[in-house]
């Protein structure tokens, strides 16, 4: 503090910061990116370890024997599913009852705001069936959930089979201390949303569901199982949930520990972990895995049925069976044993999972990067914004060195008027509101006047509003003040930079990946845009770095990382469907990415666009 | 409004007087002629027809088997009539106490099996009068001393592990909430009720090896209407009543052993031989209780005696998938067989509920018995096979009784009990929430009132203005509400309501709450487990099933079946909901928490200087001139020359 209270030294420091502002910013940006890339380097990361004592040292023995019978049940389920043309409710109820469960059903219906073309659904009606295995001598205060989706076609029949097999096996065991709920949900996430809302009696998205009859108290943990083949080569763990929420790391540790114990290949993001971290390919593998996690988390959508549990503070993950061309296969009995082991350990829990991390990234299943390690990468980017803001503040505070006609000028400069700042702010936010509301409201009009489907109408309206927004605000300030003053854009930029810093900071705290990706593209824009730079080139760069283009690049990068590169046209189609999915996720499950981008990030970017065209 | 309340209290009075009447009535019945049929009585309401009545009835029953039993009944009756005389004769000059034991076994709808033990000790004495009672025979001395020292009028304590599954098992004979429950009526001579209560809980905690000492003012309430005295006495001022539950209490062997020691025969002889903890705690439900109350000794109620009832209820899980017939035996269940009755017991019987199987198709009981008994239990007429352990013939040639039942289970579909309830916490997040209590009235055409008692700890701050009661989508205004708001760290919320449940409906009571932030020392060692909220209690007079079937398939004399009989028309029932586990906002009591604390401290310390920097303007000050210079300046000023 002595450094700052000494005016001389303070002046020196300030002049250093203003003089070297640009180089420091560049260095910070490079350092931030480098730090982030370094996170995937194995020596810099920590090995995962079990923090929860109740799950760590206790031994359990897995004895589940009936994998074959479970697959048989799965085949039976598939036959009944075909016959019923959907969820075979009666058969499931009867089967669960014969396994000694208390069985209940829940009906739900939902009309989507516009048709979902990926999954081909609009009016959704369905039934969830769940059976509760009551733990002996337990007072119905705690429960665990095992769920399997009833998917259309031939998918996930084996998952339901294994679920029923486990139910039968678990029923005969005496050691349960928590009720176990076996749930078969229809229409994947929509059914899950209905069930969870029914269980907790909330209604966040305006869905119709019938109230639940049976409950098991507060749910401690949940696993969702997806299995579409009789044998699998590996099991994939999906953690990313709604709005980028992640379950407690101990759940991932538990899965990894049992995979190691039983000898099942396990992956995360569909990538096996490699041991050659010191080679270039090993490192790039880890980077790919981590980048995939970052992309998925940033998307803010639930990547499995587990994703919706996280809102209710229930630790949940999805386990996916993957059948590839590898030699080594794992049968259903082994998967059953793995799940049995996990449930027995979860059953031992005395408290909710809370010991380990909730904020982490995983470059592989056995290594993780905790929040303390990845936050500096974002911090370095955010620092650029603060440095620019400081620079602008100083520029505004110190009068220009001119002395002759400076008197009149300074007076004018010192008070650029609230309106000249407020007007662009308001107008860009109104554009944001339009982007948020218009696509869904105007879909019918659009369908009438143009030869497009509803979904296309929504997406194209969104893109149209977005593009229109580029033209709208950059001249508006002239309506009020006549012409942009020199100080006017500085004040506006100061406001915009601070706004962006707060916005990104908050986003990164909740969803690091989203905050970081947005910072990567928006920070350079924010840092270097002035009215004085060459217009055409800057405008081009700004459009390239705008949120919409960021999304487009992300789509291509994601496909590249998944080793499924697409052509530009396919990528464009994918891009359109991603936009529609984002809007749907918001309407159906309350995902916050779309409103965040439309209402806050995009207007913020428009402010910088405004500054570029100030003169 | 006042009139409204008046009528309400009148109604309450009627309900409880009716209760007392019924109970007293049942007592009369048990004391006058009957010595066995109390098997299955709920403490609350026992309306039983005795064996005598059963013996009369067979004439009108058309079945063969009944006829056969008439002879046996007659002989049994003879024995029965002779037995009490001897008992009375022997007990009149002796200390006037009496011990009975019985076991009721009922195969449940779900295929599980329910065993209910009851041990009753009656003693005609007066603990309250000045003379000190020092000679104890059958009555346990420890409890006798508790009664006299703390001037207890009635004491009910239960320890339960598990939740009674009404939807699968039907109604229990004796309901009890998960965990420990204790309610006590004190004599009106007690001045410091709270102090006595505190001492009493500590003493009981020692007697039963349970953590009853955790009962303090924060979980004790005084219900105004839900818990009325079950014994004789007409003081119903709830100042002398204390009620507390500990939903987290775990019941195990250490509670069973002291409970068994209260029995006259211990676990050495009689039915108590079966009470082996390794089997009792290998079950789906376990509940043990002790009830002490004063009862009438005779018809005119000239003398009173103390009744100690020890009950133990267990449900064994017999789930074996894919097996048509279930098999059960005493040995399989308790890993013991019976060889004798308790020598001190005046009556020792086993009842097996065979109501669901009048034709003997589903059940096979061996050894077969010829004694049958009928009783009204919880509004339902049940038939029991009776085994009298005081008769040597019961044990047969092998000198040991190992009852064996085979029956077909009808798993799957759930029951629709006339009254049942459930409760859950709605909402998400750690700031607010909503408690939902659902009460189901499954009676097809009759509505009945229920009393709902909710005791919620202070750290859930109830927003009582959000209280809603709805049934069938319409607002259902409770006719009586007694609400006592909580005081932080002193007493819990108490909410009592009298609600009319419309026929065939679900009534939903919701109230919102806010989760309080506790002081850091108030958190339990496992704060992330959550905090318990005890079961809510629903007490009601439920229309009986027997009164429900008007066109009975069973042939009855026409003259007997026009008006529903009053005693049978409704019965008292108490239903407990599940306890709740609620998460409170909990600081992360770990390393990051410490880091946050430290960081905050550092920031707080650094804040002052930062604030200084931001608010002050700094200027370079010339060093103050020396003395000589100042004097020189004064002189220069006087000379009118500019200073140095």
């Amino acid at each position: 503090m002595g450094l700052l209270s000494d005016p001389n030294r303070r002046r020196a420091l300030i002049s250093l910061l203003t003089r070297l502002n640009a180089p420091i910013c560049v260095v910070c940006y490079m350092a931030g990116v480098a730090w982030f890339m370094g996170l995937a380097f194995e020596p810099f990361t920590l090995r995962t370890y079990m923090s929860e004592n109740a799950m760590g040292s206790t031994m359990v023995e897995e004895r589940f024997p009936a994998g074959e019978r479970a697959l048989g049940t799965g085949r039976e389920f598939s036959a009944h599913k075909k016959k019923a043309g959907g969820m075979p409710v009666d058969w499931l109820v009867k089967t669960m009852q014969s396994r000694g469960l208390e069985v209940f059903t829940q009906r739900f219906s939902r009309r989507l705001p516009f048709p979902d073309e990926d999954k081909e659904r609009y009016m959704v009606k369905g039934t969830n069936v769940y059976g509760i295995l009551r733990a002996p001598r337990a007072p119905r205060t705690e429960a665990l959930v095992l769920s399997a989706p009833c998917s259309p076609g031939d998918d996930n029949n084996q998952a339901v089979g294994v679920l029923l097999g486990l139910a039968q096996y678990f029923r005969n065991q005496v050691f349960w201390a928590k009720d176990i709920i076996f749930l078969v949900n229809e229409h994947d996430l929509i059914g899950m949303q209905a069930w969870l809302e029914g269980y907790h009696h909330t209604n966040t998205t305006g869905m119709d569901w019938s109230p639940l009859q049976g409950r098991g108290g507060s749910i401690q943990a949940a696993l969702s199982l997806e299995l579409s083949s009789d044998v699998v080569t590996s099991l994939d763990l999906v953690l990313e949930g709604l709005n980028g929420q992640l379950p407690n790391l101990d759940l991932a540790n538990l899965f990894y520990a049992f995979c190691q114990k039983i000898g099942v290949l396990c992956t995360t993001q569909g990538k096996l972990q490699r041991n050659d971290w010191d080679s270039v390919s090993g490192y790039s593998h880890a980077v790919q895995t981590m980048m995939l996690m970052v992309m998925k988390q940033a998307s803010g959508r639930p990547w499995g049925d587990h994703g919706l549990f996280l809102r209710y503070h229930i630790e949940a993950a999805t386990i996916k069976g993957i059948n590839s061309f590898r030699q080594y296969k794992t049968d259903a009995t082994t998967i059953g044993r793995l799940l049995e082991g996990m449930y027995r350990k979860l059953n031992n829990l005395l408290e909710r999972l809370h010991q380990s991390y909730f904020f982490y990234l995983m470059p592989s299943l056995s290594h993780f990067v905790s929040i303390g390690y990845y936050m500096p990468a974002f911090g370095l980017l955010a620092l650029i914004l603060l440095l620019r803001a400081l620079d602008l503040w100083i520029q505004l505070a110190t009068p220009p060195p001119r002395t002759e006609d400076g008197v009149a000028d300074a007076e004018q400069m010192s008070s650029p008027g609230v309106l000249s700042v407020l007007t662009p702010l308001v107008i860009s936010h109104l554009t944001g509101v339009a982007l948020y509301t218009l696509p869904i409201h105007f879909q019918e009009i659009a369908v009438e006047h143009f030869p497009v489907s509803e979904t296309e109408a929504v997406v194209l309206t969104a893109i149209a509003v977005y593009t229109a927004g580029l033209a709208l605000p950059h001249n508006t300030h002239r309506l009020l003040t006549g012409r942009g003053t020199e100080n006017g854009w500085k004040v506006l930029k100061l406001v915009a930079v601070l706004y962006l810093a707060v916005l990104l900071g908050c986003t990164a705290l909740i969803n690091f990946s989203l905050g970081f990706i947005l910072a990567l593209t928006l920070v350079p824009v924010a840092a270097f845009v002035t009215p004085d730079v060459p217009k055409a080139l800057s405008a081009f760069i700004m459009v390239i770095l705008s949120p919409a283009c960021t999304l487009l690049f992300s789509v291509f990068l994601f496909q590249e990382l998944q080793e499924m590169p697409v052509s530009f046209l396919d990528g464009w189609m994918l891009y359109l469907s991603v936009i529609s999915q984002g809007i749907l996720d918001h309407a159906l499950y309350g995902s916050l990415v779309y409103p965040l981008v439309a209402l806050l990030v995009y207007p913020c970017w428009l402010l910088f666009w405004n500054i570029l065209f100030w003169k | 409004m006042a009139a409204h309340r008046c009528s309400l209290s009148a109604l309450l009075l009627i309900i409880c007087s009716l209760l007392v009447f019924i109970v007293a009535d049942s007592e009369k019945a048990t004391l006058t002629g009957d010595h066995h049929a109390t098997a299955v009585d709920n403490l609350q309401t026992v309306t039983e027809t005795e064996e005598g009545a059963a013996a009369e009835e067979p004439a009108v029953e058309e079945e063969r088997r009944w006829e056969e039993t008439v002879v046996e009944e007659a002989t049994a009756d003879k024995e029965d009539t002779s037995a009490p005389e001897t008992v009375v004769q022997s007990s009149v000059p002796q200390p006037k106490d009496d011990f009975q034991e019985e076991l009721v076994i009922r195969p449940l709808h779900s295929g599980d099996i329910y065993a209910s033990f009851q041990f009753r000790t009656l003693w005609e004495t007066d603990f309250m009068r000045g003379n000190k009672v020092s000679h104890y025979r059958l009555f346990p001395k420890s409890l006798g001393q508790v009664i006299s020292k703390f001037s207890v009028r009635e004491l009910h304590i239960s320890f339960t592990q598990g939740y009674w599954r009404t939807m699968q098992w039907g109604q229990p004979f004796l309901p009890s909430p998960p965990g420990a429950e204790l309610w006590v009526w004190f004599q009106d001579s007690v001045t410091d009720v709270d102090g006595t209560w505190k001492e009493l809980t500590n003493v009981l905690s020692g007697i039963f090896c349970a953590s009853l000492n955790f009962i303090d003012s924060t979980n004790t309430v005084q219900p105004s209407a839900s818990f009325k005295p079950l014994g004789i006495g007409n003081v119903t001022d709830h100042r002398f009543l204390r009620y507390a539950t500990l939903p987290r209490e775990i019941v195990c062997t250490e509670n069973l052993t002291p409970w068994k020691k209260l029995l006259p025969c211990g676990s050495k002889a009689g039915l108590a031989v079966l009470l082996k903890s390794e089997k009792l705690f290998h079950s789906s439900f376990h509940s043990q209780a002790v009830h002490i109350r004063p009862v009438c000794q005779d018809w005119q109620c000239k003398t009173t005696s103390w009744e100690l009832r020890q009950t133990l209820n267990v449900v064994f899980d017999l789930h074996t998938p894919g097996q048509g017939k279930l098999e059960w035996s005493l040995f399989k269940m308790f890993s013991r067989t019976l060889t004798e009755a308790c020598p001190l017991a005046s009556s020792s019987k086993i009842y097996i509920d065979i109501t669901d199987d009048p034709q003997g198709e589903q059940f096979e009981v061996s050894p077969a018995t010829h004694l049958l008994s009928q009783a009204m239990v919880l509004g339902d007429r049940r038939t029991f096979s009776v085994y009298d352990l005081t008769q040597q013939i019961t044990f047969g040639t092998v000198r040991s009784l190992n009852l064996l039942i085979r029956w077909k289970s009808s798993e799957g579909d759930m029951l629709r009990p006339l009254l049942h309830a459930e409760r859950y916490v709605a909402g998400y997040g750690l700031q607010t929430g909503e408690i939902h209590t659902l009460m189901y009235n499954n009676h097809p055409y009759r509505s009945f009132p229920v009393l709902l008692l909710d005791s919620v700890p202070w750290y859930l701050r109830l927003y009582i203005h959000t209280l809603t009661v709805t049934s069938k989508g319409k607002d259902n205004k409770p006719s009586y509400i007694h609400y006592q708001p909580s005081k932080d760290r002193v007493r819990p919320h108490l909410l009592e309501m009298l609600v009319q449940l419309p026929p065939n409906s679900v009534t939903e009571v919701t109230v919102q709450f806010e989760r309080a932030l506790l002081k850091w020392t108030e958190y339990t060692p496992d704060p992330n487990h959550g905090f318990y909220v005890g079961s809510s209690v629903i007490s009601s007079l439920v229309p009986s099933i027997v009164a429900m079937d008007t066109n009975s398939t069973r042939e009855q004399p026409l003259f007997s079946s026009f008006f529903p009989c009053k005693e049978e028309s409704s019965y008292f029932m108490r239903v407990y909901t599940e306890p709740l586990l609620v998460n409170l906002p909990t600081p992360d009591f770990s390393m990051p928490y410490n880091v946050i604390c430290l960081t905050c401290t550092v920031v707080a310390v650094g804040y002052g200087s930062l604030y200084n920097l931001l608010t002050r303007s700094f200027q370079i000050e010339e060093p103050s001139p020396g003395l000589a210079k100042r004097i020189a300046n004064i002189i220069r000023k006087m000379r009118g020359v500019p200073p140095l």
Side-chain angles (χ1 to χ4, degrees), chain A residues 1 4-5 102-103 134 136-137 140 142 171-172 200-202 204 213 215 311 350-352 354, chain B residues 161 163 165 168 281 283-284 317 319 414 422 424 426-428 440 526 528-529 581 583 609 613 618:
Chain A
M1 292 302 147
L4 289 176
S5 52
E102 275 181 39
V103 191
R134 297 289 181 195
R137 278 170 294 112
R140 294 194 180 177
E142 294 175 287
R171 177 65 182 80
N172 294 323
H200 295 94
H201 205 103
T202 56
T204 47
Q213 298 291 319
R215 285 184 173 76
R311 177 203 291 266
L350 297 174
E351 302 179 64
R352 273 170 191 278
H354 69 284
Chain B
Q161 183 81 342
Y163 181 74
R165 307 173 195 167
Q168 283 155 319
F281 291 104
S283 56
S284 297
D317 179 12
H319 177 76
M414 274 174 263
E422 59 183 87
Y424 60 92
Y428 58 89
Y440 294 81
D526 52 351
N528 284 289
H529 178 68
L581 186 61
N583 277 84
S609 37
L613 276 177
F618 293 91

Side-chain angles (χ1 to χ4, degrees), chain A residues 62-65 164-173 340:
Chain A
E62 308 84 28
R63 295 202 179 125
F64 177 69
L164 291 171
L166 280 174
Q168 182 164 18
Y169 175 73
F170 284 2
R171 177 65 182 80
N172 294 323
Q173 309 306 314
E340 184 202 349

Side-chain angles (χ1 to χ4, degrees), chain A residues 486-498:
Chain A
E486 176 69 13
N487 266 6
W489 73 263
K490 281 187 179 163
V491 172
L492 181 60
K493 188 172 170 186
L494 179 63
V495 169
V497 164
L498 288 177

Side-chain angles (χ1 to χ4, degrees), chain B residues 336-460:
Chain B
R336 288 285 184 288
T337 55
L338 286 170
T339 49
E340 56 172 345
C342 171
L344 298 170
S346 62
S347 135
S348 172
K349 291 196 169 150
I350 298 181
Y351 294 81
I352 295 178
D353 190 336
I354 53 165
T355 319
D356 298 332
D357 174 45
Q359 269 76 42
E361 282 167 358
Q362 285 188 315
F363 285 175
E364 283 173 47
V365 183
S366 70
T369 179
H370 304 294
L371 277 171
L372 285 176
S373 151
Q374 270 208 339
M376 281 291 301
V377 188
L378 299 166
D380 195 6
R381 194 175 284 120
R382 317 285 307 181
T383 315
F384 298 92
S385 299
V386 186
Y387 294 83
D388 191 348
L389 298 187
T390 49
Q391 309 294 320
Q392 259 323 303
I393 195 159
T394 317
F395 298 102
T397 48
V398 286
R399 307 217 145 267
S400 91
L401 177 66
N402 182 21
L403 283 172
L404 187 86
I405 308 182
R406 285 193 202 86
W407 81 98
K408 263 194 219 145
S409 75
S410 53
E411 257 178 52
D413 50 328
M414 274 174 263
L415 294 171
R416 277 168 61 84
L418 282 185
L419 170 67
H420 83 108
E422 59 183 87
R423 192 157 72 137
Y424 60 92
V425 179
Y428 58 89
L430 288 177
Q431 196 192 353
T432 55
E434 198 169 35
I435 297 179
H436 285 239
T437 311
L438 300 177
M439 294 180 284
Y440 294 81
N441 174 3
N442 286 330
H443 201 287
Y445 57 88
R446 281 189 52 181
S447 68
F448 53 85
V450 296
L451 264 170
L452 174 70
L453 168 79
D454 244 327
S455 158
V456 180
W458 63 267
Y459 38 77
L460 303 188

Side-chain angles (χ1 to χ4, degrees), chain B residues 494-515:
Chain B
L494 169 70
L495 179 63
E496 270 187 296
M497 290 189 286
L498 185 68
V499 185
Q500 186 81 15
L501 303 186
N504 212 356
S505 71
V506 189
T507 304
E508 188 170 22
V509 180
T510 64
V511 61
Q512 289 177 12
F513 64 85
E514 186 187 63
R515 300 164 205 243

Side-chain angles (χ1 to χ4, degrees), chain A residues 534-551:
Chain A
K535 287 273 178 318
L537 180 66
S538 315
F540 178 69
I541 293 175
M542 275 200 72
V543 169
I544 290 292
L545 292 179
S546 82
C549 289
T550 312
L551 179 61

